[in-house]
Amino acid sequence: MSTVTSQDGTTIAYTRTGSGPAVILVDGAMCHRGFGPAKPLAAKLAGHFTVYTYDRRGRGESGDTEPFSIAREVEDIAALIKEAGGTAHVYGISSGAALALEAANAGLPITRLAVYEFPLVVDDTRPPVPADYTERLEKAIATGRPGDAIKTFMRQGVRVPAPIVFMMRFMPTWPKMKTVAPTLRYDAALFDGLHDGTPLPEGRWAAVSVPTLVMDGGKSPAWIRNGVAALAKAVPDAEHRTIAGQTHMLKPEAVAPVLIEYFTA
């Protein structure tokens, strides 16, 4: 494990593997280097790139500093890009896609950006996320009920069926999920105003000036795919690509060839 220090003094843990141009992988909700798809994806990219996987603040072996803001998470990516030599390709998935777009919108020195299934709700193909969603998360976390925060995220945020959420409590991964549940409020901040079933705000990502690949899965539900299609139109000069046979649980072996092709173009 290696670390960098973000602008506010927070220690961010990362792992570097492979050789070649730098690629930084940005995880989605509750994932980190030791739990999620980043590590196997990094292994598939390492023959072409120097790949940086990291623990977003509050997760894994990274520190955290209150109060949270999206700008602090962008500064974490900035610190990693500096560590990588001053420029890097960036790939983000789910809420990591939202964060990667924030980083590009802020003008970080990203050479190429790729994002997968930023889960936006832009129409009536699913119910909007409740207006008190973030409040529910914060209350559950503040009162020491991380399991309830996870259930709120799963049921109200990503619409996982109730029986599946119930069974998750008995899986070996449940304790790991509870450990990082407090960071769900950070992910919620990235979706503020983007989950209510209305069109995306005009000009929201107008400052993104790097080549951007916006992706979805061919088997994902309509609401996610509609949101991704809207995002591709909202980001200047973005390319939209669908990965056949994939869902939000994207397989590293499916996306790796796409990223290799895109980042070496």
Side-chain angles (χ1 to χ4, degrees):
M1 181 192 76
S2 300
T3 63
V4 293
T5 302
S6 195
Q7 185 171 315
D8 70 347
T10 302
T11 298
I12 302 299
Y14 74 90
T15 298
R16 178 175 55 216
T17 185
S19 61
V23 173
I24 295 172
L25 307 184
V26 187
D27 276 318
M30 297 195 293
C31 296
H32 52 84
R33 289 177 304 143
F35 183 62
K39 184 176 180 179
L41 177 57
K44 293 187 177 300
L45 299 177
H48 302 266
F49 309 103
T50 302
V51 186
Y52 292 77
T53 57
Y54 77 104
D55 295 337
R56 286 173 56 186
R57 59 176 53 211
R59 309 180 189 190
E61 297 177 282
S62 285
D64 203 1
T65 304
E66 295 285 353
F68 170 80
S69 75
I70 294 171
R72 300 294 82 78
E73 285 223 75
V74 170
E75 289 167 1
D76 300 344
I77 296 176
L80 287 163
I81 292 176
K82 182 178 179 180
E83 181 73 9
T87 61
H89 303 308
V90 173
Y91 165 68
I93 182 170
S94 195
S95 64
L99 178 55
L101 277 163
E102 291 290 340
N105 208 43
L108 267 58
I110 296 169
T111 45
R112 281 182 170 249
L113 173 66
V115 295
Y116 184 82
E117 290 200 354
F118 185 161
L120 300 156
V121 184
V122 299
D123 56 26
D124 61 359
T125 48
R126 64 152 279 179
V129 173
D132 64 347
Y133 172 71
T134 300
E135 180 183 344
R136 292 187 198 181
L137 290 176
E138 291 177 344
K139 184 176 181 180
I141 293 162
T143 55
R145 296 179 289 113
D148 286 352
I150 295 171
K151 286 186 280 186
T152 296
F153 165 69
M154 291 292 179
R155 293 290 296 126
Q156 303 297 330
V158 295
R159 303 289 292 178
V160 175
I164 294 178
V165 176
F166 176 80
M167 292 303 299
M168 288 173 68
R169 297 184 304 162
F170 306 101
M171 295 179 180
T173 55
W174 186 252
K176 294 181 181 180
M177 295 170 69
K178 289 173 66 176
T179 299
V180 295
T183 63
L184 286 170
R185 57 198 172 112
Y186 301 171
D187 297 291
L190 290 161
F191 297 100
D192 187 32
L194 304 173
H195 262 169
D196 59 3
T198 60
L200 298 177
E202 187 173 351
R204 176 66 175 77
W205 297 279
V208 175
S209 59
V210 300
T212 303
L213 177 64
V214 178
M215 298 176 285
D216 60 5
K219 288 188 175 181
S220 289
W223 70 267
I224 287 184
R225 299 197 63 196
N226 292 350
V228 170
L231 178 66
K233 294 178 181 178
V235 175
D237 300 319
E239 175 188 347
H240 181 193
R241 188 179 306 184
T242 296
I243 303 180
Q246 295 301 297
T247 66
H248 199 64
M249 302 300 289
L250 177 64
K251 295 179 180 178
E253 58 267 27
V255 72
V258 178
L259 295 178
I260 292 168
E261 176 191 350
Y262 183 68
F263 289 148
T264 56

